[in-house]
Amino acid sequence: MKSCIDKEGIITKKIVILGSCVTRDALEFTENSQYSLEMYFARSSLISLYSTKVKIKRADIQLASNFQRKMVYYDLIKYFPRYIKETEADYLLIDFIDERMKVLQKNGSYVTRSNEFVHSNVNEQIQYEASALNKEEINELWKKSALQLIEDLKGRFNPEQIILHKALWRYSYIDKNGEEQTFKEHYWIKRNNDKIDGYYEFFQENFPGIHVIDLNDQYHADESNKWGLSPFHYEEKYYKAFIEQLNKICQ
């Protein structure tokens, strides 16, 4: 590991995230410079990342946000599998919240149907279509991609450098008055949780020795979250508890 030491003798751990805001936002609750976020990969399904890359220039993706444009670009060119083989990060943090998104396909290549992808001009150029695969076929394709990811990670990291954040959708939230409320979309939440939780279990079973952070059934979503109300936009207490767990692992 090539951690950095600042002037006060604090060891800075280099972090890479493959996941979503549920993991990225937690780093805002760290103190000093104990973590350095080297790279953040979001808005991608593993099915997309381990399929044929798309020939496109970042400048051809018409989105106002540089971050959004970069995430769509990384998904299209399948950058993560190449990046991870060269990174000097100390830890890789993974969550599968973005697996809620569907994938589109064309000639054996898949892309993640994120909101950013939909609102860009990309599909006018490439013309991807909805996947014809059924639920079981998608699940098997995801498992195949996950095994490829695990193989890549084993070539670069020790298992204890991988941290799986088993983040799930919440059934309840704290409203702006501080009162606990329940989401009405229970069926949709359960459907997504069943899918994502199965992915976590598969990844954990096939990659023994990794660290796991699981804070489910302890906290709520939060209507005051800076990204707005959503079953996976949590209350501050969740992120702070996550950082406590992360500190124990990294120290």
Side-chain angles (χ1 to χ4, degrees):
M1 300 183 188
K2 296 186 178 181
S3 304
C4 300
I5 303 178
D6 67 12
K7 295 180 181 179
E8 297 179 354
I10 298 174
I11 299 176
T12 301
K13 300 293 186 181
K14 295 181 178 181
I15 299 290
V16 171
I17 295 174
L18 174 63
S20 66
C21 61
V22 297
T23 301
R24 169 64 183 90
D25 288 354
L27 294 183
E28 297 179 6
F29 295 90
T30 58
E31 298 178 358
N32 301 314
S33 56
Q34 63 193 110
Y35 300 109
S36 171
L37 182 59
E38 301 295 295
M39 189 67 88
Y40 173 34
F41 293 88
R43 317 296 195 270
S44 284
S45 168
L46 295 191
I47 293 174
S48 173
L49 291 183
Y50 281 90
S51 69
T52 306
K53 69 179 181 179
V54 177
K55 293 183 179 180
I56 193 170
K57 296 179 180 179
R58 191 186 301 193
D60 294 333
I61 302 172
Q62 296 178 7
L63 287 167
S65 165
N66 182 59
F67 170 76
Q68 292 179 354
R69 186 164 58 250
K70 181 172 65 174
M71 293 300 98
V72 172
Y73 180 64
Y74 285 170
D75 185 70
L76 289 168
I77 68 168
K78 322 307 179 191
Y79 182 44
F80 177 82
R82 285 177 282 150
Y83 171 85
I84 209 64
K85 293 177 182 179
E86 302 174 355
T87 182
E88 295 183 348
D90 298 300
Y91 293 94
L92 172 65
L93 277 58
I94 300 174
D95 72 74
F96 294 140
I97 283 290
D98 281 351
E99 294 294 346
R100 70 188 186 279
M101 303 173 188
K102 295 181 179 179
V103 291
L104 305 176
Q105 69 177 47
K106 181 181 181 181
N107 299 331
S109 176
Y110 294 88
V111 297
T112 309
R113 190 185 181 279
S114 63
N115 286 333
E116 292 78 8
F117 178 85
V118 171
H119 291 111
S120 72
N121 63 318
V122 172
N123 219 31
E124 296 175 8
Q125 307 171 52
I126 305 175
Q127 297 181 340
Y128 274 76
E129 299 177 348
S131 171
L133 300 178
N134 60 37
K135 180 180 177 181
E136 289 73 21
E137 290 170 330
I138 285 287
N139 193 44
E140 289 305 311
L141 185 56
W142 186 90
K143 289 180 178 179
K144 180 181 177 181
S145 301
L147 291 175
Q148 289 180 278
L149 169 62
I150 291 169
E151 182 178 352
D152 284 347
L153 297 183
K154 287 181 176 179
R156 166 60 188 87
F157 293 98
N158 295 320
E160 60 268 21
Q161 291 177 270
I162 307 300
I163 302 171
L164 182 64
H165 179 194
K166 297 179 72 171
L168 294 173
W169 296 34
R170 317 313 303 162
Y171 287 96
S172 60
Y173 67 94
I174 304 300
D175 66 20
K176 292 183 178 179
N177 296 318
E179 300 294 328
E180 182 180 336
Q181 305 292 343
T182 300
F183 285 108
K184 296 179 180 179
E185 303 85 357
H186 264 235
Y187 171 79
W188 184 244
I189 293 173
K190 184 179 186 304
R191 180 179 177 182
N192 278 278
N193 278 349
D194 287 346
K195 172 185 176 181
I196 296 171
D197 198 35
Y199 288 169
Y200 288 134
E201 293 301 322
F202 180 86
F203 190 86
Q204 191 175 351
E205 289 172 2
N206 286 277
F207 205 164
I210 65 172
H211 292 286
V212 176
I213 297 178
D214 185 349
L215 300 172
N216 293 302
D217 300 324
Q218 299 181 52
Y219 301 96
H220 309 278
D222 193 342
E223 189 175 16
S224 298
N225 186 289
K226 67 179 181 179
W227 304 118
L229 181 61
S230 167
F232 44 85
H233 293 163
Y234 307 139
E235 58 182 327
E236 284 192 5
K237 290 190 292 185
Y238 183 102
Y239 301 112
K240 291 177 180 178
F242 175 89
I243 292 301
E244 288 182 6
Q245 295 295 316
L246 182 64
N247 290 343
K248 291 179 182 179
I249 291 170
C250 295
Q251 293 174 4

